Structure formats: C-alpha cells, structure tokens
Amino acid sequence: MASPTNTGGTDVPPVLPSIPLSADPVKPEDQSVGGLVKDVTTHLSSLVRSEVELAKAEVTSEVKKGVQGSIFFIVALTIVLFSLFFLFFALGELLALWLNRAAAFGIVFGFMVVVAGLFGFLGFLRVRKIRKPERTISSLKDTAQVIGSRGKSAGNTPELT
C-alpha cells in the first residue's frame, strides 16, 4: 500500500490501494503475441480504472471544500434578503429619533451591505483554498510519458524526421 505524498497536515484524499497488474509474473518470451496483447489490454484497463478512482477521490475532497465555502455565500445572501425588511425599518426608525429619516435609513443600509460583504469575503477565503488534483495530474503525465515512449528502446531506435 502506498503512502500519501503530502504530509504537511493538509487534507489529503485517502490512499487508494494499488491494483496488481498480474497474479504471476510471466516472461514475455513465454507468451504468444495474442497473450501479450491481452495482457496489455488488461493492464491498460486497470490503469484507466485506477486513474479514475484517484481523480474521483481528489475531486470529492475539493468539492466538499467548495460546499463548505458556499455556505458562507448562502449565509450572506440570507442575511441580506431577510434583514432588508425588518432590520432596515427597526434601525432606521431608531436612528430617525436623532437624525433626518432619510439619513437614518441610509446608514442602516450601509451597515447591512458591510455585513453582507464580510460574509461574502469569508466565503471567498474558504473557496480560494480549493486545490487542483495534483496527484491525478502527475499520475496522468507519467502515464502519458510511458505510453508515448512504448516500443522505443534506449538508443536503439532511429529517430524519424
């Protein structure tokens, strides 16, 4: 079983178990071409399934962070919508005892916009912490490199121009 690559205390998706490519290693010269093609197809299928599982684990973790951050946006919207009626009138009438009525309601409106902005900012800070799936990207790059270099041996194959 592999261990997580990031040990900095951040939320790391769970480590997925590795999928064995074959039960018993067989020498390539002991198999027919058809058997080798079957093994390659099986291994490629296992590799794709592993990549999908890794991506799903990482994306699920990041989606949870996004949902948590969106709660702050929902709170900000709720405060703005419901408090527009009740708090504007109550605080506006209270301030109207000392100020002009229009100025009192303008001050209350400004206060509510500041409170909504604060919750919006908190939501932005939470959503900004969402990371891209680093392990999946790295694994896909490694896979692409291996697939791209298949059939080429070190220095024996002439380059086509």
Side-chain angles (χ1 to χ4, degrees), residues 93-120:
E93 289 296 330
L94 181 67
L95 286 175
L97 295 175
W98 296 285
L99 299 171
N100 179 356
R101 191 175 181 111
F105 279 94
I107 290 171
V108 171
F109 176 74
F111 173 73
M112 294 310 296
V113 167
V114 167
V115 169
L118 175 67
F119 278 106

Side-chain angles (χ1 to χ4, degrees), residues 30-110:
D30 294 343
Q31 288 187 335
S32 66
V33 172
L36 290 173
V37 169
K38 178 184 171 197
D39 283 347
V40 167
T41 304
T42 303
H43 294 177
L44 191 58
S45 173
S46 297
L47 179 63
V48 169
R49 275 196 310 270
S50 296
E51 295 291 347
V52 168
E53 287 180 34
L54 177 61
K56 189 185 331 180
E58 284 188 307
V59 169
T60 300
S61 171
E62 297 306 312
V63 166
K64 285 180 184 178
K65 286 181 187 177
V67 168
Q68 290 173 349
S70 68
I71 289 172
F72 287 109
F73 291 121
I74 292 169
V75 168
L77 181 62
T78 302
I79 288 174
V80 167
L81 292 178
F82 286 111
S83 64
L84 285 174
F85 297 107
F86 301 109
L87 289 178
F88 280 163
F89 286 112
L91 293 175
E93 289 296 330
L94 181 67
L95 286 175
L97 295 175
W98 296 285
L99 299 171
N100 179 356
R101 191 175 181 111
F105 279 94
I107 290 171
V108 171
F109 176 74

Side-chain angles (χ1 to χ4, degrees), residues 4-22:
T5 56
N6 187 355
T7 58
T10 59
D11 293 332
V12 176
V15 176
L16 300 173
S18 61
I19 298 174
L21 295 178
S22 62

Side-chain angles (χ1 to χ4, degrees), residues 140-154:
L140 286 173
K141 285 181 181 177
D142 292 344
T143 303
Q145 184 180 16
V146 167
I147 290 174
S149 65
R150 74 173 198 277
K152 296 180 184 176
S153 57

